[in-house]
Amino acid sequence: MNMSDRNFVKFTFVKLDPAWRRRDSGDRMRDKVEFAAACTSFAEDHFFRTYSLVGTRGDCDLMVRTVASSLDPIHEFHVLLNQTGLMRWAEIPYSYLAMTKESLYSDEPLPLEPRPGSDARYLIVYPMWKKREWYLLSAEERTRIMRGHIEVGRRYTNIDINTAYSYGLDDQEFVVSFNADEPGEFLDLVQELRGTESSSYTESETPIFTCISASVERALGALDGEAVAIEPTLG
């Protein structure tokens, strides 16, 4: 298997200390500009997206999604990010590392980098674990079960799934993300999937994050309600 065809995917969720919003407006602006500069640098050569979680989660405010062919750029980006004034007032309550690889179960070619639909209005993300009993099944039985799961997903043509694998790299086994323009369609999809045979082999698939796609300017502006103009524009 050609490892050079794979990519590392990192989902970093950031929570701001409420005290940051009580800082002087100019100080907050400088913090946001520094954060955006680090994002701009990474985005020049790699896939990069920001998302706002203001109003969808109470335990994180924004998410940064980075993709690279090796871990080094992702590591260097987060080192740079930690030097910004904003991160002095922030914590990372959730962080997921994974890799892309071809699916064992789908007969469709799956991209090893983000789909064009990655710019949908919403990205819904969650870590997932399978029960150990799943891995005791034969490959043929797992394929049969997953085909039923996949057939349900195919009926929801406006939703694209991105599955990344974390075995041995992070605590979870998978990081699953869905591109969607209408959250209600995703709700219906998940409700239907609960009745599939594959669902009985799921150990956990929480927490679930409904992320609103936003440029870095908009995601940062949502933190305190003050617009920020940064060049070049990302997102």
Side-chain angles (χ1 to χ4, degrees):
M1 184 173 293
N2 189 354
M3 297 295 174
S4 64
D5 291 336
R6 299 183 180 183
N7 282 294
F8 287 92
V9 184
K10 180 68 162 59
F11 301 84
T12 302
F13 294 84
V14 178
K15 174 66 176 176
L16 268 295
D17 186 329
W20 177 80
R21 297 182 181 88
R22 297 191 286 271
R23 299 188 74 209
D24 177 79
S25 177
D27 292 336
R28 284 185 278 116
M29 183 61 69
R30 281 190 293 273
D31 291 345
K32 290 187 285 187
V33 168
E34 290 176 3
F35 188 97
C39 297
T40 300
S41 177
F42 182 88
E44 289 177 354
D45 299 310
H46 306 92
F47 180 92
F48 175 88
R49 293 292 185 273
T50 45
Y51 304 83
S52 178
L53 288 97
V54 174
T56 68
R57 294 281 303 195
D59 51 0
C60 43
D61 297 306
L62 66 86
M63 188 267 280
V64 174
R65 179 187 181 198
T66 51
V67 180
S69 59
S70 74
L71 272 176
D72 290 342
I74 294 175
H75 165 72
E76 292 164 3
F77 166 66
H78 283 82
V79 170
L80 187 60
L81 208 62
N82 284 340
Q83 296 174 30
T84 67
L86 190 71
M87 291 306 293
R88 296 190 184 100
W89 296 85
E91 62 177 331
I92 299 176
Y94 305 99
S95 173
Y96 304 113
L97 177 67
M99 286 190 78
T100 58
K101 65 188 298 263
E102 294 180 345
S103 171
L104 296 175
Y105 308 113
S106 176
D107 56 5
E108 295 180 352
L110 296 178
L112 299 181
E113 57 188 23
R115 297 173 181 269
S118 292
D119 292 319
R121 185 72 181 101
Y122 300 94
L123 184 75
I124 300 171
V125 182
Y126 57 81
M128 189 176 76
W129 292 259
K130 286 285 194 181
K131 293 180 179 179
R132 289 302 174 96
E133 291 86 346
W134 172 254
Y135 299 101
L136 298 178
L137 299 175
S138 67
E140 293 76 14
E141 181 68 357
R142 292 199 304 270
T143 298
R144 180 191 67 79
I145 294 170
M146 284 303 300
R147 281 178 178 164
H149 179 96
I150 291 168
E151 285 304 314
V152 171
R154 284 176 176 167
R155 294 202 295 271
Y156 292 80
T157 57
N158 293 326
I159 297 174
D160 286 324
I161 182 173
N162 304 276
T163 301
Y165 300 77
S166 297
Y167 295 109
L169 300 179
D170 206 341
D171 293 348
Q172 67 283 339
E173 295 177 351
F174 311 89
V175 182
V176 189
S177 59
F178 297 82
N179 306 311
D181 286 317
E182 175 48 64
E185 292 184 4
F186 182 71
L187 183 152
D188 293 342
L189 168 60
V190 173
Q191 183 176 10
E192 186 171 353
L193 287 174
R194 289 292 189 270
T196 62
E197 187 176 359
S198 65
S199 181
S200 65
Y201 289 97
T202 298
E203 181 70 33
S204 175
E205 51 187 5
T206 58
I208 298 175
F209 305 89
T210 299
C211 308
I212 303 170
S213 180
S215 66
V216 67
E217 295 95 337
R218 290 181 62 86
L220 291 171
L223 297 176
D224 59 0
E226 295 191 9
V228 53
I230 302 164
E231 295 294 338
T233 300
L234 301 178

